């Protein structure tokens, strides 16, 4: 960096890139958000946003009107580049990580890269991707000395710094969470930490790029394994007629036990995705991690089967599927197990299936042709006799027992523990009939 107020380019203006760009702009840096979508660029330059995140609209409007954030489809010259583009799977059935967007960002940065610049990757990546970015920049810009390749002081610093924010709390967590900052060399880590300290109040912990890449994957794989334990426990308890919620509640009274919550599967674009990067990197050893993925994906099948049993037992009743988002109290539907379950039920039972999702404005495309309609919670309580709870939105938790006592309920999230049960409880949820 050449001055104490660096110019910054944030590449990729999605759920991480746009909040990151806005927070950096709030420090006074001139930030250019770069995105391939002209619609996204136009929206942001109007001071508006194209994603939902608490308080992000106000922040983007403020920094755009102040002139410290603008958006473009073109890569600018900058002191600092932050790559925050998607890293999906290749469509090969092998969960092969696709780092194409990251490498495309490197290709776009290379022509405008100047000596003294800092290049940071934030996208979740397989181990070794940051080194590959360095190698790509070295090949495209042989005139610049790259870290770890050239003797003496390199012209460019390159680092990897994953985020670990929760949707709905991104602006707060981007500032206050600790961050692993992995440099291609220790000097690169120092340069990156100096940059992050401009807006990160959490501790910035220096490490190498490969360790930082694996750290991100490990954090999410650890959570996926623990969710899989809860989901596997729910299916075991279900078969034995035990109430998994009761078992978990009691087990968690142990001072060193913390069993997570069963659900209809694992959604979102992180926990359900990142563990496969580890499996792909070492399929022979990553056995628990792979099995956890299979258990969590298999839970969705289990929930469809149990819900179908209940629906068949009440042939004349309409069915309310409560929740479509991938988790509670947010409007994100990506990889949502709730959508997968409800859509399979809608394809089987048609118009009997009613969808209740306070964060949805229209019926998602997954339900095209099924006849399933979006209704509000009060209508569902009036019209439906069967309830399949798929998301633990606060709104659903607040339904008093006297408004639902006569309903047949499959509660996959354990949000209605006081639901009258006239049959053995299903531990993957309470079957109350
Ligand atoms: N889930 C359960 N039971 C639980 C916890 C979660 O079924 O006890 C389900 C949720 O319903 C959801 C899925 O798992 O479908 C993932 O939800 P989440 O809250 O665990 O995770 P995300 O995807 O919102 O955020 C995670 C976080 N990572 C960890 O908690 C280790 C976040 O810190 C990361 O920044 C984020 O992934 C990411 O982007 O990587």
């Amino acid at each position: 960096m050449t001055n104490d107020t660096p110019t910054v380019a944030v590449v990729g203006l999605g759920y991480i890139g746009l909040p990151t760009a806005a927070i950096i702009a709030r420090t006074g840096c001139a930030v250019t958000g770069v995105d391939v979508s002209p619609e996204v660029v136009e929206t942001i330059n109007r001071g508006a946003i194209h994603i939902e995140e608490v308080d992000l609209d106000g922040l983007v409007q403020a920094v755009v009107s102040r002139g410290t954030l603008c958006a473009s489809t073109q890569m600018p010259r900058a002191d600092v580049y932050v790559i925050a583009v998607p890293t999906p799977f290749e469509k090969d059935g092998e969960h092969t990580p696709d780092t194409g967007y990251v490498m495309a960002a490197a290709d776009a940065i290379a022509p405008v890269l100047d000596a003294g610049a800092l290049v940071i990757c934030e996208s979740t990546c397989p181990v070794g991707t940051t080194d590959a970015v360095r190698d790509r920049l070295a090949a495209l810009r042989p005139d610049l000395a790259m870290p770890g390749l050239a003797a003496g002081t390199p012209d460019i610093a390159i680092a990897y710094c994953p985020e670990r924010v929760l949707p709905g709390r991104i602006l707060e967590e981007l500032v206050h969470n600790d961050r692993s900052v992995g440099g291609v060399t220790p000097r690169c880590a120092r340069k990156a930490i100096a940059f992050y300290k401009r807006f990160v109040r959490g501790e910035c912990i220096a490490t190498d790029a490969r360790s930082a890449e694996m750290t991100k994957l490990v954090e999410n794989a650890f959570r996926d394994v623990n969710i899989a334990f809860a989901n596997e426990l729910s299916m075991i308890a279900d078969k034995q007629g035990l109430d998994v919620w009761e078992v978990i509640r009691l087990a968690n009274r142990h001072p060193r036990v913390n069993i997570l919550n069963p659900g209809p599967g694992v959604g979102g674009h992180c926990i359900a995705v990142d563990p496969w990067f580890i499996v792909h990197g070492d399929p022979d050893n990553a056995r628990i991690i792979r099995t956890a993925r299979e258990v969590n994906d298999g839970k969705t099948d289990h929930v469809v089967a149990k819900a179908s049993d209940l629906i068949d037992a009440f042939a004349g009743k309409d069915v309310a599927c409560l929740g479509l988002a991938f988790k509670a109290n947010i409007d994100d539907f990506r990889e949502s197990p709730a959508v997968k379950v409800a859509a399979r039920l809608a394809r089987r039972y048609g118009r009997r299936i009613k969808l209740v999702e306070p964060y949805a404005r229209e019926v998602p495309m997954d339900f095209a042709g099924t006849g399933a309609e979006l209704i509000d919670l009060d209508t569902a309580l009036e019209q439906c006799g069967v309830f399949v709870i798929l998301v633990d939105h606060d709104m659903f938790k607040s339904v008093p027992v006297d408004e639902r006592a006569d309903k047949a309920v499959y509660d996959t999230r354990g949000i209605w523990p006081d639901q009258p049960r006239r049959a053995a409880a299903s531990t993957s949820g309470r079957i109350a009939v």
Side-chain angles (χ1 to χ4, degrees), residues 108-164:
I109 291 168
V112 293
L113 198 56
D114 291 328
L118 166 62
V119 178
I120 297 167
C121 182
E122 289 201 356
S123 302
T124 300
C125 290
V127 174
T129 304
T130 307
D131 288 345
V133 166
R134 186 271 315 273
D135 295 343
R136 177 69 69 90
L137 293 175
L140 295 170
R141 291 295 302 272
D143 58 309
L144 293 172
M146 291 295 163
L149 296 182
T153 303
D155 294 315
I156 304 296
I158 302 175
Y160 180 78
C161 181
E163 46 68 36
R164 48 178 51 142

Side-chain angles (χ1 to χ4, degrees), residues 88-379:
F89 293 129
E90 292 183 9
K91 303 272 184 289
D92 62 0
E94 296 293 314
H95 297 106
T96 305
D98 176 359
T99 57
Y101 295 108
V102 172
M103 303 316 288
D107 292 344
I109 291 168
V112 293
L113 198 56
D114 291 328
L118 166 62
V119 178
I120 297 167
C121 182
E122 289 201 356
S123 302
T124 300
C125 290
V127 174
T129 304
T130 307
D131 288 345
V133 166
R134 186 271 315 273
D135 295 343
R136 177 69 69 90
L137 293 175
L140 295 170
R141 291 295 302 272
D143 58 309
L144 293 172
M146 291 295 163
L149 296 182
T153 303
D155 294 315
I156 304 296
I158 302 175
Y160 180 78
C161 181
E163 46 68 36
R164 48 178 51 142
V165 298
L166 268 186
R169 291 172 45 184
I170 293 179
L171 293 185
E172 192 261 343
E173 292 206 353
L174 274 178
V175 173
H176 295 288
N177 284 359
D178 293 347
R179 296 194 76 149
S180 314
V181 182
V184 167
T185 63
R187 175 181 177 275
C188 295
R190 292 194 298 272
K191 291 284 187 186
I193 287 175
F195 170 68
Y196 277 103
K197 281 188 177 299
R198 295 184 57 85
F199 64 94
V200 173
R201 298 289 168 269
E203 188 180 349
C204 293
I205 302 149
T207 185
D208 63 281
R210 291 170 62 86
S211 296
E213 289 165 336
M214 182 55 104
T215 298
K216 173 66 182 178
L217 302 178
V218 161
E219 289 166 357
N220 284 349
F222 175 79
R223 187 156 174 86
D224 195 51
V225 166
N226 281 276
I227 295 168
F229 181 85
N231 280 327
E232 182 166 282
L233 179 61
S234 71
M235 293 185 277
I236 293 169
D238 201 356
K239 192 166 183 182
Q240 297 178 13
L242 292 169
D243 179 345
V244 74
W245 309 104
E246 176 78 352
V247 171
I248 291 173
R249 184 174 65 81
L250 294 172
N252 282 352
R253 297 299 292 266
H254 186 293
R256 286 172 297 286
V257 173
N258 177 32
I259 301 171
L260 297 183
N261 297 314
V266 168
H269 48 295
C270 310
I271 303 283
V273 173
D274 299 357
W276 286 118
F277 287 22
I278 298 176
V279 173
H280 187 268
D282 186 351
D284 296 336
N285 286 310
R287 292 176 296 162
I288 291 176
I289 294 171
R290 173 197 291 278
T291 302
R293 287 278 68 244
E294 292 163 353
V295 167
N296 285 329
D297 287 348
K299 179 64 185 294
T300 301
D301 298 333
H302 178 92
V303 168
V304 170
K306 296 297 295 182
S308 298
D309 291 347
L310 181 68
I311 294 168
D312 292 340
F314 286 79
K317 301 279 188 185
D318 280 350
V319 181
C321 288
L322 265 54
L324 295 177
F326 87 79
K327 62 187 286 193
N329 305 322
I330 64 168
D331 77 324
D332 194 335
F333 299 77
R334 289 175 290 180
E335 300 302 314
S336 171
V339 169
K340 291 174 183 169
V341 169
R344 286 170 62 178
L345 294 176
R347 283 193 286 276
R348 186 175 299 177
Y349 297 103
R351 295 185 179 285
R352 285 184 61 193
I353 302 298
K354 309 297 181 188
L355 309 172
V356 182
E357 175 46 74
Y359 292 88
R361 298 182 184 82
E362 58 195 9
V363 177
M365 284 302 292
D366 309 76
F367 296 87
T370 65
E373 61 176 306
L374 198 59
I375 62 174
D376 63 36
L377 181 57
D378 287 333
T379 304

Side-chain angles (χ1 to χ4, degrees), residues 16-31:
I16 299 304
L18 180 54
T20 300
I23 284 175
I24 297 170
R26 184 171 60 186
T27 68
C29 292
V31 180

Side-chain angles (χ1 to χ4, degrees), residues 18 22 43-49 55-69:
L18 180 54
T43 300
I44 292 166
N45 283 333
R46 275 190 287 112
I49 60 176
D55 295 337
L56 181 61
D57 53 356
L59 175 58
V60 167
Q61 198 281 326
V63 289
V64 168
S65 60
R66 202 181 304 158
T68 53
L69 175 63

